[in-house]
Amino acid sequence: MFSTLPTDYHEFIHWAWPQFEPYYKNLIDRTLFADNVAAWLADWSHIAKLVQETYARLHLATTLDTADTEAEKRYHTFSGEVYPQIEAAEQQLKQNLLDSGLEPAGFEIPLRNLRAEAALFREANLPLLVENRKLGSEYNKIVGAQTVPWEGQELTLQQIRPIAQHPDRVVRERAWRLASDRWLADRAALNELWTKTVPLRKQIALNAGCADYRAYRWRELLRFDYTPADCETFQAAIEEVAVPAARRIYARAQQRLGVESVRPWDCDQDRDPLNYPTLQPFQDVTDLIEKSEKIFQHVDPQLGEYYTIMRREQLLDLDNRKGKAPGGFCTEFPVTQRPFIFMNSVGVRGDVRTMLHESGHAFHVFETNHLPYIHQLQITMEFAEVASMSMELLAAPYLSRKFGGFYTAQEAARDRVEHLERIILFWPYMAVVDAFQQWAHTHLEGVDPMACDAKWMELQQRFMPGIDWSGLDAELMTGWHRKQHIHRSPFYYVEYGLAQLGAVQVWRNALKDQAASLAHYRQALALGGTKSLPELYQAAGAKFAFDARTLKEAVELVETTIEQLTA
Ligand SMILES: [Zn+2]
């Protein structure tokens, strides 16, 4: 029926609601039966993919050139005027499918998600959710206005970050203290915001029939395959296995830096010990692309081919230039069936890591192109990040020039050591963030900033004892202010720790048999969002795990590899 829909994005990129409407109306009006539901889902997917690609392309245009006012206007018109009508129509279609009672093949997981969304929906929560978003923007406003004076200039906290990594310890301590003092100047404002946020979240949960906000978010984040208790098991495993390993890393950093103890200003983001000197992995964007392509060809011929397609079709915009939005990400064009990678590379090693990571997401897009329904492409972070984090590890053996990569053998080894150290150091920090959020939203005192300060301090001492915060109590206990996830995307963080554990297992398999491991990896990616997390992990050759034994095996592999690379 929807054969009239265009397949070239030039034809639909400027569509407004009148163009979309007849298709949605047609879908809404159809009566669903067992024998027409597959065709109906295919048509729905077709129009929804068109919407998604339009959205992605209009948004991308605003990030590629932030000064392009036309692009800005087109994006705002679409998101503000067209999209709300589409959303209402999409909601109606979801309801129609649920009301039909039909359970189409290959749709078990998407249906599970739709049912959960519908069960959580309450009319009474609509204004509260708007208010919740406002408080999130309020947080952004406070943080976005933070600047510090540095040598006659007014720098944002983003801008002072490179200075806080300065090789001269005196300089970086000064920069670190300036940034910390600036955060502390907002302490009262952030505390006040928190005392409004917590009760509001609780009310949203109660309205939806949930005992607390944790239970609400669990369902909203579609966490069907694990419980808060599993996360506590994971925290305990991290304490037992990753915390001692992290202490060993801080002890080595202390020697390397020649300091009496590792202080927060000896670490990036209060966590990763600094490593000197810096490397220069590539000259320009062409160089970055050519070297990456060679690396992926070594990892897997098919993945190498995907990368070549991206290169040929100009689906990579990697250089940092004036007027480009910050950050790096991979977006997706579901009608064209292509990913697009956006980056701001300046020639540092972090750019290489971002390239590898985002390419993992891009390969996920290629591998899921065969799935007929857009709803099967909804992949939660617990597995989406396995695709990307695995790629960082799978590509690591080919980073040196011997394989067409970026570094001398010695530089490659050093880069890998730092990467592996960061993997271990992330787990304890993740545990702090996760334990804090779980506590804050299930205890009455969670609304009290002073109780939060005490809790954060306790957790930091439990999970991250390797960093010396003496004399810095106020800075230490307000660490929860500085973690934006807590304020803007609550409970969202453990995903990274779980995915990292999955990625290390994929890499472990590749060390034994690379071709077989890559075949599993690709098969798992190709499942998209049609299976549960344990099934997706299993397909990738890994265990979706929280236990100390699995984590211990991973940590030991990482530590042994670090030893080999430093020898
Ligand atoms: Zn990612």
Side-chain angles (χ1 to χ4, degrees):
M1 139 76 209
F2 283 175
S3 55
T4 52
L5 273 179
T7 49
D8 183 337
Y9 71 92
H10 293 99
E11 294 174 47
F12 59 79
I13 194 85
H14 299 299
W15 274 22
W17 176 239
Q19 278 88 33
F20 290 106
E21 191 178 13
Y23 294 98
Y24 275 107
K25 187 167 182 327
N26 174 294
L27 287 165
I28 289 168
D29 288 346
R30 276 190 238 174
T31 309
L32 296 180
F33 302 104
D35 59 358
N36 72 356
V37 70
W40 181 78
L41 283 173
D43 282 344
W44 179 7
S45 291
H46 201 156
I47 188 75
K49 281 180 182 178
L50 215 116
V51 169
Q52 198 187 319
E53 179 154 344
T54 303
Y55 209 113
R57 285 190 183 271
L58 291 178
H59 179 255
L60 181 65
T62 67
T63 60
L64 290 173
D65 182 2
T66 53
D68 185 344
T69 49
E70 272 306 303
E72 183 79 18
K73 217 171 91 189
R74 275 198 294 272
Y75 173 68
H76 281 296
T77 305
F78 187 77
S79 61
E81 293 169 23
V82 185
Y83 198 69
Q85 315 214 50
I86 291 171
E87 261 190 318
E90 284 278 330
Q91 197 50 46
Q92 187 60 55
L93 292 175
K94 289 175 186 175
Q95 201 52 54
N96 288 4
L97 178 63
L98 291 176
D99 291 347
S100 78
L102 296 166
E103 300 195 357
F107 220 76
E108 297 77 11
I109 299 288
L111 211 51
R112 181 187 74 173
N113 299 347
L114 289 181
R115 284 192 186 115
E117 276 176 30
L120 213 51
F121 179 81
R122 295 291 186 283
E123 194 84 42
N125 269 340
L126 293 178
L128 303 192
L129 291 168
V130 171
E131 182 60 25
N132 193 36
R133 268 197 296 278
K134 259 194 218 152
L135 294 177
S137 319
E138 192 63 31
Y139 175 83
N140 264 14
K141 219 193 271 172
I142 294 171
V143 174
Q146 291 174 333
T147 58
V148 288
W150 185 265
E151 290 174 358
Q153 274 186 300
E154 199 68 18
L155 298 185
T156 66
L157 296 197
Q158 281 293 327
Q159 288 167 328
I160 200 148
R161 217 181 122 193
I163 301 168
Q165 298 169 9
H166 198 279
D168 183 343
R169 200 183 198 203
V170 176
V171 174
R172 62 177 187 260
E173 178 178 348
R174 195 151 57 90
W176 186 90
R177 284 187 186 271
L178 265 179
S180 297
D181 288 349
R182 186 62 193 81
W183 273 103
L184 286 173
D186 282 329
R187 190 174 183 177
L190 290 166
N191 281 344
E192 199 199 322
L193 192 60
W194 183 251
T195 58
K196 289 184 204 159
T197 303
V198 174
L200 178 67
R201 289 175 177 175
K202 171 107 186 190
Q203 192 55 52
I204 291 170
L206 294 179
N207 285 354
C210 299
D212 52 45
Y213 189 63
R214 179 176 70 179
Y216 177 87
R217 275 298 271 173
W218 225 263
R219 289 161 72 178
E220 195 180 26
L221 291 168
L222 305 173
R223 292 177 174 179
F224 302 101
D225 300 313
Y226 60 105
T227 62
D230 287 324
C231 292
E232 277 165 30
T233 304
F234 195 37
Q235 289 161 21
I238 288 169
E239 185 174 20
E240 185 188 325
V241 180
V243 170
R247 285 194 87 132
R248 291 189 279 275
I249 291 171
Y250 289 123
R252 278 204 303 277
Q254 185 193 336
Q255 287 194 337
R256 189 171 65 224
L257 294 165
V259 295
E260 64 296 339
S261 66
V262 174
R263 305 284 277 160
W265 46 84
D266 298 320
C267 304
D268 183 21
Q269 299 198 315
D270 298 352
R271 185 178 73 231
D272 306 317
L274 301 169
N275 208 355
Y276 305 114
T278 50
L279 302 176
Q280 204 203 20
F282 57 92
Q283 296 299 326
D284 53 25
V285 164
T286 311
D287 198 22
L288 169 63
I289 293 174
E290 279 171 4
K291 286 169 175 167
S292 304
E293 189 173 23
K294 296 222 172 69
I295 289 172
F296 291 130
Q297 284 163 354
H298 283 293
V299 174
D300 181 84
Q302 182 59 62
L303 299 183
E305 179 57 29
Y306 291 151
Y307 194 82
T308 303
I309 292 172
M310 296 191 74
R311 181 186 181 177
R312 196 170 56 221
E313 299 183 8
Q314 297 178 336
L315 298 163
L316 305 161
D317 193 302
L318 309 180
D319 61 323
N320 170 264
R321 55 175 188 269
K322 194 165 177 270
K324 205 169 161 181
F329 58 82
C330 172
T331 188
E332 178 177 0
F333 306 143
V335 177
T336 315
Q337 301 207 314
R338 291 289 186 263
F340 187 100
I341 295 178
F342 174 99
M343 275 176 59
N344 275 286
S345 70
V346 290
V348 298
R349 64 212 297 202
D351 296 335
V352 173
R353 177 119 316 116
T354 305
M355 180 83 259
L356 302 175
H357 181 97
E358 300 307 331
S359 296
H361 288 308
F363 300 150
H364 216 159
V365 173
F366 281 104
E367 292 292 346
T368 50
N369 274 341
H370 67 99
L371 291 168
Y373 310 136
I374 193 171
H375 316 83
Q376 297 169 319
L377 302 178
Q378 187 181 15
I379 302 157
T380 53
M381 299 296 292
E382 294 90 343
F383 189 70
E385 288 299 317
V386 174
S388 51
M389 289 174 163
S390 295
M391 196 41 59
E392 294 178 45
L393 286 161
L394 293 169
Y398 307 108
L399 287 174
S400 69
R401 298 206 182 115
K402 187 178 158 196
F403 300 100
F406 298 92
Y407 305 118
T408 65
Q410 205 187 359
E411 287 170 343
R414 228 191 38 229
D415 181 72
R416 290 190 65 190
V417 167
E418 191 185 334
H419 176 211
L420 294 168
E421 285 184 349
R422 279 179 194 235
I423 287 177
I424 289 182
L425 296 174
F426 178 72
W427 277 312
Y429 182 67
M430 181 231 89
V432 172
V433 176
D434 192 46
F436 175 83
Q437 302 204 73
Q438 300 230 23
W439 167 84
H441 291 291
T442 55
H443 290 73
L444 285 175
E445 18 352 338
V447 69
D448 173 11
M450 278 176 59
C452 290
D453 287 350
K455 190 68 188 179
W456 185 271
M457 198 158 177
E458 171 202 318
L459 291 168
Q460 183 95 21
Q461 282 158 354
R462 176 178 162 202
F463 290 105
M464 300 178 70
I467 303 174
D468 176 7
W469 286 82
S470 50
L472 299 167
D473 279 4
E475 289 86 347
L476 173 60
M477 65 176 65
T478 51
W480 59 282
H481 282 170
R482 298 191 291 275
K483 192 69 205 155
Q484 65 130 344
H485 294 74
I486 294 170
H487 307 272
R488 304 203 58 231
S489 321
F491 285 96
Y492 173 55
Y493 211 59
V494 69
E495 287 88 342
Y496 289 104
L498 295 171
Q500 187 66 74
L501 184 52
V504 171
Q505 295 176 74
V506 171
W507 169 56
R508 170 204 64 197
N509 300 345
L511 292 173
K512 290 177 198 139
D513 184 342
Q514 183 172 320
S517 164
L518 260 296
H520 283 301
Y521 168 84
R522 289 186 44 217
Q523 279 158 18
L525 264 52
L527 292 171
T530 63
K531 299 283 175 197
S532 68
L533 288 172
E535 289 169 315
L536 289 172
Y537 273 64
Q538 195 186 11
K543 184 180 165 201
F544 183 56
F546 307 85
D547 59 291
R549 213 177 127 195
T550 309
L551 186 65
K552 186 164 191 278
E553 200 199 329
V555 167
E556 279 175 359
L557 175 61
V558 173
E559 283 202 294
T560 316
T561 312
I562 291 174
E563 267 169 46
Q564 287 163 358
L565 289 167
T566 33

